[in-house]
Amino acid sequence: MPNNLPCCPCCGAEATYRETTYHFKGIKTAIVQCNDCGLSITHCGPAEKIADTRAKVMAAWMCRIPQHKPCLIVSQYYYSRYCYFVAYDPETFLAQARACIEDLERHKRQWDDLRPIRYGDLENRWYCPGSLRHNVNDDGDIYFIVGDSVGELLPYVREYYDKVDREERQDRRKNIAKKIATHHDPGAIYAIVKSHFRLI
C-alpha cells in the first residue's frame, strides 16, 4: 500500500489510498482521494495485476501535483484586497514579480505619476532568494507569500479578506470608493497577475 501520499493539489489537504475488489469480475480498483475536498483519481484492473493498477493511479495523482510551490499574491489599495494563488518557480520568480509589480503600480497610480517604479523587498539590494515573503509599498501594497501548499496559505487569505470587511465598514468616504473602482479594478488586477504568472 502506498505511503506518504503528496497532499491534494487542489486544497493542500492529506490524501488517502484505498483498493476495492469486485470478486465476481476479478477486478480491483485503486483510488486516491483527498480527505477534504474529495478530489479523486481511480484506476481499475485485473485483481492479479493490482501492482500495475496501483502504479497507474499513483502516477496519475503525481501528475496532478504542481511542480512548484504555491505563491500567494495579494494586491492592496486602501481597504480593497485581491488574492491570487500562482506557481512559484525560483528560477523565474524575480523577473516575473518585478514585471507584475510594474504593471500593478502603473494601474494603481495616477496617470501623471512619474515616480520610478518601487520594487520593495525585490530591489537588488534587499532581495533574498530564500525569503518566503516579499513586500512592496507604493500606491497600495503588494505581497508575495510562498508556502508549501495552498492549505498553508489559506489563513492569510482569510486574514486579508477579514480586514477588507472591517476597514470597508469603517471607511465610508465616497472618493475612496471611486478611487478603488478606478485604480483597483478586479478584472484589471486579475489580468495583470495572469499575464505574468501561472494561476493555480
Side-chain angles (χ1 to χ4, degrees):
M1 299 282 278
N3 294 318
N4 302 319
L5 281 169
C7 293
C8 175
C10 178
C11 69
E14 291 183 359
T16 302
Y17 174 86
R18 70 179 189 277
E19 295 173 5
T20 304
T21 303
Y22 297 95
H23 295 288
F24 62 95
K25 290 185 178 178
I27 299 294
K28 209 154 194 181
T29 301
I31 303 167
V32 177
Q33 185 170 26
C34 173
N35 296 336
D36 192 7
C37 73
L39 178 71
S40 66
I41 294 180
T42 303
H43 274 284
C44 299
E48 66 272 13
K49 294 186 177 180
I50 185 57
D52 292 344
T53 304
R54 189 180 295 151
K56 285 178 183 176
V57 79
M58 291 304 296
W61 183 257
M62 292 299 290
C63 286
R64 291 244 180 161
I65 306 303
Q67 296 301 305
H68 304 293
K69 291 183 177 183
C71 175
L72 174 65
I73 298 178
V74 182
S75 177
Q76 176 183 350
Y77 188 77
Y78 289 97
Y79 55 74
S80 176
R81 293 171 178 86
Y82 300 117
C83 299
Y84 306 93
F85 289 110
V86 302
Y88 170 81
D89 182 345
E91 299 296 320
T92 60
F93 172 73
L94 185 58
Q96 287 174 292
R98 285 180 175 175
C100 187
I101 289 166
E102 290 169 13
D103 286 348
L104 287 173
E105 288 187 7
R106 288 190 187 102
H107 178 68
K108 293 179 184 182
R109 291 177 177 184
Q110 296 294 327
W111 66 270
D112 57 351
D113 189 335
L114 301 178
R115 289 175 298 157
I117 296 295
R118 297 177 179 174
Y119 297 106
D121 292 341
L122 295 166
E123 294 274 4
N124 285 335
R125 59 180 174 163
W126 303 119
Y127 181 58
C128 178
S131 178
L132 299 181
R133 183 182 179 111
H134 308 279
N135 297 341
V136 181
N137 303 113
D138 193 70
D139 280 10
D141 296 340
I142 307 165
Y143 310 120
F144 299 86
I145 308 169
V146 181
D148 289 321
S149 69
V150 170
E152 178 186 324
L153 297 173
L154 281 175
Y156 292 103
V157 177
R158 295 188 191 101
E159 175 189 340
Y160 287 126
Y161 285 135
D162 284 347
K163 286 182 179 178
V164 171
D165 292 339
R166 282 197 313 271
E167 293 172 11
E168 187 174 8
R169 285 195 299 269
Q170 295 167 1
D171 195 338
R172 297 290 186 176
R173 294 173 291 173
K174 289 185 179 178
N175 66 319
I176 298 301
K178 187 180 288 188
K179 283 183 177 181
I180 289 172
T182 303
H183 295 286
H184 210 225
D185 174 73
I189 301 299
Y190 172 81
I192 289 170
V193 173
K194 187 179 180 181
S195 71
H196 297 291
F197 288 92
R198 179 171 64 84
L199 294 165
I200 56 175

